[in-house]
Amino acid sequence: MRCAILGFVLGVAFLQTRPTLPDPWHLLACALAALVLLLALRGPARAALAGSLLGFCWAATLAHAALSQELAKRDEGRDIAVVGTVAKLPHDFGEGVRFQFAVERVLDGAARVPDTLALSWYGRGEAVQVRPGERWRLTVRLQRPHGNANPHGFDYEAWLLGQGVRATGYVRASPDNRRLDAFVLTPGHLVERCRDLLRARILDALAGKPYAGVIVALVIGDQRGIEQADWDVFNRTGVSHLVAISGLHITMIAGLAALAASSLWRRSFFTEAQLPLLLPAQKVAALAGAGAALVYVLLAGFGVPAQRTLYMLAVVAAALWCGRLASVSHVLCLALALVLLLDPWAVLWPGFWLSFGAVGVILYAGVGRIGQDAPGWRGALRLAARTQYAVTLGLVPLTLLLFSQVSLVGPLANAVAIPVVSFVVTPLALLGSLLPAPFSSPVLALAHLAVDWLAAALGWLATLPLAVWRAPQPPAWLFALALFGTAWMLAPRGWPQRWIGAVSWLPLFMLLPTHPPAGTFTVTAFDVGQGMALLVETERHRLLYDTGPQYAATQNGATRVLLPYLRARAIGRLDGMIVTHSDTDHAGGALTLLEAIDVAWMSSSLAPGHPAVRKAALHRRCEAGQRWEWDGVAFEMLQPGAASYADPGLKSNGRSCTLRISARGRAILLAADIEAAQETALLQSAPHSLRADVLLAPHHGSGTSSTPAFLAAVNPSIGVFQVGHRNRYRHPKKEVFERYGRLGIRRLRTDVSGAIRFDFGETIAVSEYRREQRRYWHDH
């Protein structure tokens, strides 16, 4: 059975790497092949192969069903009236509220709308009062699922698919928007309303407290209220797993419920009923523990770590009821199978691999050591220390693969944080959220105080120079080698020379970021939506040109796209950063980047009082005529002229820093948001410096730029449009886009191609992220 389940996991994971789904006939052939294998072969190989085919078929079948609900393209961008219920816990993000909406009726009969929508309702009116289980009539404007596509970035489209959401959009202002029912009773709505009530109680009791979001996360699993700065500290100290509702928390609650039920049942609830004669207390305890775990997991939002623990407890309870002992490895494999049967997309997320990986490491490291510790608190302490040691070592290769970093202070931080969070903060948070007022407030305040003290200690650890070791994401063969060495290190007692396993880690930790050869350079145009951000790399230097847009109060191009990319490649320093002008779609991530990584200098046309200018270690104004050379690659600033800074009436676009980069006869022109007037000025001041093979389309392809004379002077073979999907400016303008086409210029758009990389050498190699990393759920 275990081999079959592991094969099932491999089959599910393989399906999630496919650019297209197999047709039903191929799925039928796979299922028949699995049946033949079961009949023709014997042993573990038969089970693993059959499991792989069944896993592939199962995941593909669910994927076909999920994708069958598509918003018709003709219905994108038009107003549609729908009636439905608020299906999930809403999230107030400052400018409005986001929530999942379960559609019951479409009032526009011609529209084909999926059953579940992800909606945003902007404004501070009645939308803030949206609560789970309410029935609303809403006028919405929708689009098919689409997210930014970048290397090492978050796949928003995959996440939506796993959530069952097949359209996103926002609520339109309309007098017809109204609440029809205050609550529609269903099991799902009841759970979500309870979560909403618990969150409201906690936030009311801890109003204005900095770590109220952490308490909410520990009680109901909603992590959206935790500030990004706090996440940075938790990640650097390796304790972010504790901020979620972990298996340890669920097991603790289940254990307390089982102990209480067993004690009361043995004592027949202090009556003469002699209940143990009717049903053994062990079975009652197992049932109570599994029930408490189920309730807690439902309130926790049913995340993968919580599911894993629930299924393991359920399997153990079922085995006890049936009178059959179940080995721990069988329990773990059954939990693994149940998770993927319900959610085959779980394999796409780090939490799945870390959750099951941690339990697997504990089981492997415990072989031959069970029962060796002396009874009492000393034995328990040794067991806890050995378990922490095993998990810390065992997850190092996986952590580097998933996050490109390992917390060196993690063991110390976890030694303090695990008991504090598990045995102090979580019990107090749960008790405080359930107690009636006014008793709840002081208990929640005490839980918050413990988090506050813990956060102070973690914050100090996070500031240590060697708190985190970063390395580029390792290739598959190197990860496999490190995994083998880790297994050698954690082998049972008596295994020869276990320390030799550590040698396999050396290549993993000594990986260095890649660089282009001398005299060449690469340019990566990121998919940041409606904004601009490009990374230029030479042999020993890196330059960031613009920093992407501001999406929300705490979300920008740096937090969502640039920093994940830089960290995955272990790039902790930029030799230069150019912020072309003050528009938020270009400067939105500047301050965040300056706070997160070392930037040697910043050049911009920003005003002296701009926060990014004040934060920069060294700032200089960009002006035409500036030149420098890095590793055989020439950089020349063509705009703005020095006189433009004295013109108060000039729009910020008119001062866009325009940069030409060239090497070996190849060049790219980065024109930011210059418009026709600046293009004309360039034709007059630097006509011989405009020629380039690649042109970053000025102002995202707006109708005010890319004049015929300018395009003729540049004469590019490739034009790049950094634009957002279905952006409100309708960039690139149709007439401008067609102008590029008529001139024989190859046109690339980040909303279609995702991130685009150019390798400039003797020739120009182009790679498009969506084309090379296409998955079946990506919008066609």
Side-chain angles (χ1 to χ4, degrees):
M1 182 191 72
R2 287 170 292 189
C3 289
I5 291 175
L6 293 177
F8 186 87
V9 173
L10 291 177
V12 170
F14 179 70
L15 187 277
Q16 310 308 346
T17 66
R18 298 299 84 204
T20 57
L21 286 176
D23 59 49
W25 290 109
H26 284 110
L27 292 181
L28 180 59
C30 283
L32 291 175
L35 180 61
V36 170
L37 284 172
L38 288 173
L39 294 175
L41 297 180
R42 293 289 182 271
R46 174 200 66 167
L49 287 172
S52 298
L53 291 172
L54 290 175
F56 183 83
C57 293
W58 175 255
T61 301
L62 292 189
H64 274 296
L67 293 177
S68 65
Q69 292 198 37
E70 293 285 0
L71 179 72
K73 289 196 173 184
R74 68 174 183 273
D75 293 326
E76 285 190 301
R78 70 183 188 89
D79 291 353
I80 301 173
V82 294
V83 172
T85 59
V86 180
K88 297 288 186 180
L89 192 67
H91 170 56
D92 188 338
F93 62 96
E95 293 82 10
V97 66
R98 293 193 179 99
F99 56 96
Q100 285 190 21
F101 192 71
V103 178
E104 296 175 328
R105 283 184 295 134
V106 180
L107 301 183
D108 181 351
R112 191 182 72 188
V113 177
D115 290 342
T116 306
L117 311 175
L119 297 177
S120 299
W121 196 341
Y122 296 95
R124 303 301 302 181
E126 59 185 355
V128 178
Q129 303 302 318
V130 167
R131 302 186 67 188
E134 293 178 340
R135 177 178 282 130
W136 283 81
R137 183 202 188 279
L138 299 174
T139 301
V140 298
R141 183 166 289 185
L142 304 174
Q143 68 176 22
R144 294 154 69 94
H146 188 94
N148 298 337
N150 296 282
H152 315 296
F154 178 71
D155 194 333
Y156 181 57
E157 293 173 50
W159 182 83
L160 288 174
L161 181 63
Q163 295 290 308
V165 175
R166 299 309 302 145
T168 64
Y170 60 96
V171 179
R172 297 276 288 169
S174 170
D176 295 328
N177 293 338
R178 62 183 183 276
R179 184 186 293 107
L180 301 179
D181 293 295
F183 185 71
V184 178
L185 181 60
T186 68
H189 290 162
L190 184 61
V191 169
E192 294 299 320
R193 180 59 69 92
C194 290
R195 298 180 73 209
D196 182 61
L197 291 171
L198 288 173
R199 182 176 66 176
R201 293 198 70 197
I202 295 169
L203 294 179
D204 287 344
L206 301 177
K209 300 289 186 180
Y211 299 107
V214 174
I215 302 298
V216 169
L218 290 171
V219 174
I220 64 168
D222 182 16
Q223 302 175 358
R224 294 171 294 184
I226 301 176
E227 298 293 335
Q228 184 60 47
D230 295 328
W231 276 123
D232 292 339
V233 171
F234 298 151
N235 290 330
R236 284 182 63 83
T237 53
V239 302
S240 55
H241 63 100
L242 292 175
V243 183
I245 295 180
S246 67
L248 179 61
H249 301 158
I250 296 168
T251 304
M252 178 181 66
I253 296 300
L256 290 174
L259 180 63
S262 176
S263 299
L264 293 172
W265 193 264
R266 289 178 190 278
R267 293 168 176 78
S268 299
F269 292 89
F270 305 102
T271 68
E272 301 298 326
Q274 297 183 335
L275 295 177
L277 297 179
L278 301 175
L279 188 66
Q282 294 93 332
K283 291 188 175 183
V284 173
L287 186 63
L294 175 61
V295 172
Y296 192 25
V297 169
L298 288 174
L299 291 177
F302 220 62
V304 170
Q307 288 183 51
R308 182 256 301 162
T309 306
L310 172 64
Y311 299 149
M312 291 179 70
L313 290 172
V315 171
V316 171
L320 194 151
W321 264 77
C322 297
R324 300 184 62 181
L325 290 176
S327 70
V328 180
S329 60
H330 279 89
V331 171
L332 181 62
C333 284
L334 283 172
L336 188 62
L338 285 171
V339 168
L340 293 184
L341 281 171
L342 295 175
D343 180 12
W345 297 282
V347 297
L348 296 172
W349 311 116
F352 171 85
W353 300 103
L354 290 173
S355 176
F356 282 100
V359 178
V361 166
I362 292 171
L363 295 180
Y364 175 75
V367 173
R369 299 183 174 96
I370 303 299
Q372 291 183 354
D373 294 306
W377 66 269
R378 289 187 178 87
L381 188 60
R382 279 196 296 270
L383 176 62
R386 190 167 58 243
T387 301
Q388 180 62 36
Y389 161 80
V391 171
T392 300
L393 288 184
L395 293 183
V396 164
L398 185 59
T399 303
L400 274 176
L401 179 70
L402 296 174
F403 305 112
S404 300
Q405 68 176 36
V406 172
S407 175
L408 300 182
V409 299
L412 176 59
N414 276 280
V416 176
I418 287 176
V420 171
V421 173
S422 300
F423 303 117
V424 178
V425 178
T426 301
L428 287 174
L430 289 170
L431 182 63
S433 61
L434 296 175
L435 283 174
F439 304 106
S440 60
S441 294
V443 176
L444 288 171
L446 190 58
H448 185 275
L449 181 62
V451 175
D452 199 0
W453 288 351
L454 178 62
L458 295 176
W460 176 79
L461 285 174
T463 60
L464 295 177
L466 293 178
V468 174
W469 181 274
R470 289 194 171 92
Q473 193 173 67
W477 69 270
L478 198 55
F479 169 72
L481 175 65
L483 210 57
F484 174 77
T486 303
W488 191 286
M489 279 190 287
L490 296 177
R493 285 185 177 181
W495 196 265
Q497 307 298 326
R498 285 182 295 169
W499 60 269
I500 294 178
V503 176
S504 69
W505 284 8
L506 293 179
L508 201 67
F509 280 87
M510 295 176 66
L511 276 177
L512 296 175
T514 56
H515 294 268
T520 68
F521 66 100
T522 65
V523 178
T524 303
F526 295 101
D527 178 13
V528 292
Q530 184 62 23
M532 199 169 283
L534 302 95
L535 180 66
V536 183
E537 299 179 78
T538 67
E539 184 187 21
R540 293 188 300 272
H541 295 83
R542 291 184 176 89
L543 171 74
L544 186 67
Y545 184 86
D546 273 337
T547 61
Q550 183 83 30
Y551 304 115
T554 59
Q555 295 291 317
N556 53 57
T559 57
R560 287 191 186 177
V561 178
L562 301 178
L563 287 175
Y565 177 84
L566 295 174
R567 286 167 178 163
R569 292 189 54 202
I571 298 173
R573 182 179 189 275
L574 293 173
D575 298 282
M577 183 168 79
I578 295 175
V579 181
T580 59
H581 60 297
S582 60
D583 285 3
T584 55
D585 59 331
H586 295 251
L591 186 60
T592 300
L593 273 165
L594 290 168
E595 292 173 343
I597 63 174
D598 179 26
V599 180
W601 54 260
M602 185 178 85
S603 180
S604 77
S605 62
L606 303 175
H610 193 282
V613 173
R614 295 199 302 266
K615 182 66 179 178
L618 174 63
H619 178 264
R620 65 187 184 197
R621 215 166 57 172
C622 57
E623 292 183 9
Q626 294 171 343
R627 293 179 177 85
W628 69 96
E629 183 175 312
W630 282 343
D631 312 316
V633 180
F635 296 77
E636 181 181 5
M637 193 73 70
L638 304 181
Q639 282 268 24
S644 67
Y645 289 97
D647 183 0
L650 187 65
K651 294 193 303 182
S652 62
N653 286 351
R655 294 196 189 91
S656 292
C657 305
T658 303
L659 182 68
R660 184 178 186 268
I661 309 169
S662 59
R664 297 187 180 182
R666 303 291 180 180
I668 183 172
L669 182 63
L670 306 178
D673 277 2
I674 63 171
E675 298 184 341
Q678 288 75 47
E679 293 179 357
T680 301
L682 281 172
L683 291 171
Q684 296 171 352
S685 63
H688 304 296
S689 299
L690 294 178
R691 172 71 185 92
D693 301 276
V694 180
L695 171 65
L696 179 64
H699 203 182
H700 317 281
S702 78
T704 60
S705 305
S706 298
T707 59
F710 180 75
L711 293 180
V714 178
N715 192 25
S717 57
I718 302 173
V720 182
F721 298 84
Q722 278 196 303
V723 292
H725 178 65
R726 297 181 56 82
N727 64 86
R728 61 193 177 108
Y729 306 103
R730 300 184 184 276
H731 290 162
K733 293 295 185 181
K734 181 180 178 181
E735 62 274 16
V736 172
F737 195 67
E738 291 176 348
R739 185 182 303 156
Y740 278 74
R742 287 195 301 270
L743 293 172
I745 302 171
R746 180 185 176 186
R747 297 163 295 180
L748 298 174
R749 303 169 50 142
T750 54
D751 60 336
V752 174
S753 300
I756 307 168
R757 175 183 165 121
F758 301 93
D759 291 276
F760 289 81
E762 298 299 332
T763 60
I764 302 175
V766 183
S767 60
E768 303 168 64
Y769 184 75
R770 276 191 182 270
R771 183 186 299 273
E772 296 185 355
Q773 301 293 326
R774 185 152 196 83
R775 297 294 182 264
Y776 66 82
W777 57 79
H778 287 158
D779 188 33
H780 295 270

